[in-house]
Amino acid sequence: MSVPSTSLQTSPGGVARLRARLAAPPEAAKRVQFRRPLLPWLLLAPQLAVVATFFYWPSAQAVISSFYIEDPFGFGATFVGLDNYADAVGSSEYIRIAGFTVMFTVIVTVLSLAIGMLLAVKADKVIRGRPAYRTALIAVYAIAPPVAGLIGMMLFDQHIGSIVRFAALFGWNMQVGLSYWDTAFAMIVVAVWLQIPYNFIFVLSGLQAIPSAVREAALIDCRNGLRRFRTVILPLLAPTAFFLMIINITYALFDTFALIDVMVKDKPANNPITLVYKVYLDGFRGNDIGGSSAQSVILMAVVLVLTLFQFRYIERRVHYG
């Protein structure tokens, strides 16, 4: 039986096209095909509705309210243009609170990330009792911010606070709620304590993702643990560290509101507060809806610029993969 010559002979161009066709991935693997064009939008509709309801609509309302002086009971509003912004930026009290917010954010971000990374490195080396050790470090993350603030007030109480008694051994008469810097110290300690487990979880996961071969090679090349961590381990953790830096900055600016409220509520007016707490005080206690809206817009713009700066310049130093 003879075989057709076309099945045995193939031109060089045909062989090249056949190899290219076999090497190319199927079209279905590249992208998902929807038979109905409205189906993707229907799947995204719940999430888009949540984002529009709880983010875009309140943001638009805050921008609109920032140009008005509004009656707190909703009986009227007077257009004042940029006066609310000028009053906020020109206020010495606002500048002082903004300076404290910057200091508070930097200290909380650096300390919580550094301590969480240190504990993760140490926990990664533990052999005996590893689950119990890690659970003890992570358990703090389950505490709600208001409860953390209440625990902090108990620890820094002038009568029963253990930290106050410990500070008294060194001659430090700590007066949280009365002294500006003592209260600031207590706020920073509680905020850092509450955020350390979050950093610990992510850094520990990043450490476990590093191949053992890389660690063994680094151990052979460099016996100094600190230098080995700085030159080998830390660059591999750069994506995780960059993500945690953004999360920690956001946490210090916004998520510390509850614990600050617990720690300074019903205290003298000279206690330190952050910008987000000042928005609450002016809007809900001072009934200055327009002024608090202008402050919230300024804070939102600052966070947006800071985030863009981080992704534009800092992320360039981060290597993925």
Side-chain angles (χ1 to χ4, degrees):
M1 174 182 278
S2 63
V3 181
S5 59
T6 56
S7 63
L8 298 175
Q9 297 179 356
T10 308
S11 63
V15 173
R17 287 193 298 271
L18 179 61
R19 290 178 178 177
R21 182 179 301 176
L22 294 176
E27 187 68 21
K30 292 183 180 180
R31 60 188 180 186
V32 178
Q33 298 288 342
F34 291 96
R35 297 180 179 180
R36 299 181 180 180
L38 294 179
L39 181 59
W41 295 103
L42 291 177
L43 297 176
L44 291 174
Q47 183 63 32
L48 293 176
V50 171
V51 173
T53 303
F54 295 99
F55 180 77
Y56 290 112
W57 183 75
S59 300
Q61 289 295 113
V63 173
I64 295 173
S65 299
S66 65
F67 297 106
Y68 291 86
I69 294 180
E70 298 186 11
D71 185 273
F73 300 100
F75 291 114
T78 303
F79 181 79
V80 294
L82 298 177
D83 289 351
N84 289 324
Y85 294 93
D87 293 340
V89 177
S91 172
S92 59
E93 180 187 8
Y94 186 82
I95 299 301
R96 178 175 60 86
I97 295 175
F100 174 78
T101 302
V102 173
M103 182 193 71
F104 178 81
T105 302
V106 172
I107 294 177
V108 170
T109 300
V110 173
L111 288 181
S112 59
L113 183 56
I115 297 175
M117 189 172 294
L118 176 63
L119 294 176
V121 172
K122 296 302 181 181
D124 191 48
K125 298 179 180 179
V126 173
I127 299 177
R128 285 189 174 183
R130 178 181 298 181
Y133 182 68
R134 294 178 178 178
T135 302
L137 292 174
I138 297 174
V140 181
Y141 186 64
I143 301 176
V147 178
L150 182 60
I151 295 175
M153 287 304 298
M154 295 175 61
L155 293 175
F156 288 97
D157 187 83
Q158 298 183 25
H159 303 287
I160 63 173
S162 57
I163 297 181
V164 174
R165 294 179 180 177
F166 180 77
L169 299 177
F170 301 92
W172 183 3
N173 184 21
M174 188 177 297
Q175 296 179 337
V176 176
L178 298 176
S179 173
Y180 183 91
W181 292 110
D182 289 350
T183 307
F185 175 79
M187 289 168 48
I188 291 173
V189 169
V190 176
V192 170
W193 170 65
L194 186 61
Q195 185 65 6
I196 286 175
Y198 188 89
N199 297 318
F200 172 81
I201 295 171
F202 279 90
V203 175
L204 183 61
S205 300
L207 288 173
Q208 293 177 345
I210 298 177
S212 58
V214 175
R215 297 191 181 191
E216 293 173 358
L219 184 62
I220 295 174
D221 294 339
C222 181
R223 300 296 301 178
N224 186 280
L226 181 60
R227 183 181 178 185
R228 183 170 64 252
F229 175 80
R230 180 174 56 86
T231 58
V232 179
I233 304 300
L234 188 58
L236 295 176
L237 291 175
T240 303
F242 177 71
F243 164 77
L244 289 176
M245 182 182 65
I246 297 177
I247 294 299
N248 288 334
I249 292 176
T250 305
Y251 161 79
L253 286 174
F254 299 101
D255 293 344
T256 54
F257 170 85
L259 65 89
I260 293 176
D261 181 54
V262 173
M263 299 185 71
V264 304
K265 182 186 294 184
D266 301 328
K267 299 295 189 302
N270 62 342
N271 282 314
I273 58 175
T274 58
L275 289 177
V276 67
Y277 194 73
K278 179 172 172 52
V279 172
Y280 163 75
L281 290 180
D282 291 349
F284 289 90
R285 292 191 179 182
N287 293 326
D288 185 9
I289 306 299
S292 63
S293 298
Q295 295 175 28
S296 65
V297 172
I298 293 174
L299 183 59
M300 182 171 56
V302 170
V303 173
L304 177 62
V305 172
L306 181 62
T307 304
L308 293 177
F309 174 80
Q310 290 173 342
F311 278 96
R312 181 67 176 83
Y313 295 101
I314 299 180
E315 194 184 20
R316 288 184 173 181
R317 303 178 180 271
V318 178
H319 301 282
Y320 299 90

